[in-house]
Every structure is written in C-alpha cells, then in structure tokens.
Amino acid sequence: MTAPGGGLDPDPGNEVAVLLVSAHWSTPARPAATVLRELARRWGSSVLSLLLEDADDDILDQLGIETIPTWLRLTRRSTQGSTVGHAMTQVRDLSATDVLGNEVVLSGTWQITDRRSGAMPKHMVAELFGPPTGSAT
C-alpha cells in the first residue's frame, strides 16, 4: 500500500516497530545496521525493522535523539484513547527505510515505548526489542 508521502505504508496489522537511528559517519553505529538486518531476518513479520540514517536535526529533535546509534521500540497507538505510556514520545507519519532499503512511512500515531542509546551487542538488542521468546520466526 502506498502512503500519502509516496513510500510504502506497512501492514496495518503490524503493531510493533524497531527503529535504528544511525548515521554513516558514526563509527559506533556502523555495525548496528548489520545487527538490525540479521535480527529482522530472525523476527520475520512479527517486528517491523526500520533504519533512519542521516536524519535532519528536526527529526532528531522530534525523536529526542542525543546519541548515535539509538534504538527505539515503537508501538502503534490505537485511535481509541489509551493512557498506557502517556509520558512517552509520540510520532506521526515517520519516514524510514526497511532493511532492504525500501522507503516506509509509519502512518498514524506511534508511541516510543523503549529507547536505548549507544552500541549494543546483538543478543541485547534481540532481548530488549524483539518479540517475546518463542515468537520469533
């Protein structure tokens, strides 16, 4: 499905996304994209895996990014009011790329439900951001 901005709109049934905010110039961030690609293969369609690389300052400010790389777990916010995670940052219509390099637009409102900054080993990213144990494909 094509989103209003021209990118692909993810499956509306997908409720969880992992967004890696990175930059090509950041030495600690270089292995993070490879980690994301490998975990995306393991997770299959249970977690939407996205990369936001070299974002402009406005996007970084909107997401509250102070360190590269930063891993964000996003949960689709339903249109029905919810007080869960009320204090967490919300984002709307965010553009990123999937692990194959295709542009994706996260339409609607998504809530940042977890955030970790700096380089992290693959097993820690999998534990913190992946599907519950036994749900991975």
Side-chain angles (χ1 to χ4, degrees):
M1 172 186 310
T2 301
L8 297 176
D9 194 6
D11 178 355
N14 203 318
E15 299 295 321
V16 176
V18 171
L19 177 68
L20 170 61
V21 182
S22 185
H24 75 280
W25 50 262
S26 172
T27 302
R30 289 182 185 151
T34 302
V35 167
L36 178 67
R37 285 184 201 94
E38 183 175 330
L39 290 173
R41 284 192 300 270
R42 288 185 194 177
W43 295 338
S45 62
S46 61
V47 175
L48 181 61
S49 303
L50 301 172
L51 176 64
L52 179 60
E53 193 166 55
D54 300 325
D56 63 34
D57 289 341
D58 290 340
I59 300 292
L60 296 175
D61 289 343
Q62 176 188 3
L63 296 173
I65 303 300
E66 296 179 0
T67 303
I68 300 290
T70 293
W71 296 84
L72 301 173
R73 183 179 183 92
L74 304 164
T75 303
R76 186 184 303 269
R77 179 139 183 205
S78 70
T79 54
Q80 301 167 353
S82 171
T83 58
V84 176
H86 176 64
M88 299 300 279
T89 302
Q90 294 181 22
V91 294
R92 290 191 54 78
D93 304 326
L94 180 68
S95 294
T97 59
D98 64 16
V99 295
L100 300 175
N102 300 310
E103 184 182 357
V104 173
V105 176
L106 292 178
S107 296
T109 303
W110 291 73
Q111 188 128 7
I112 298 174
T113 55
D114 200 353
R115 165 191 313 265
R116 302 297 163 120
S117 297
M120 292 192 314
K122 179 174 46 181
H123 73 276
M124 183 179 282
V125 174
E127 182 179 316
L128 293 170
F129 295 96
T133 305
S135 298
T137 55

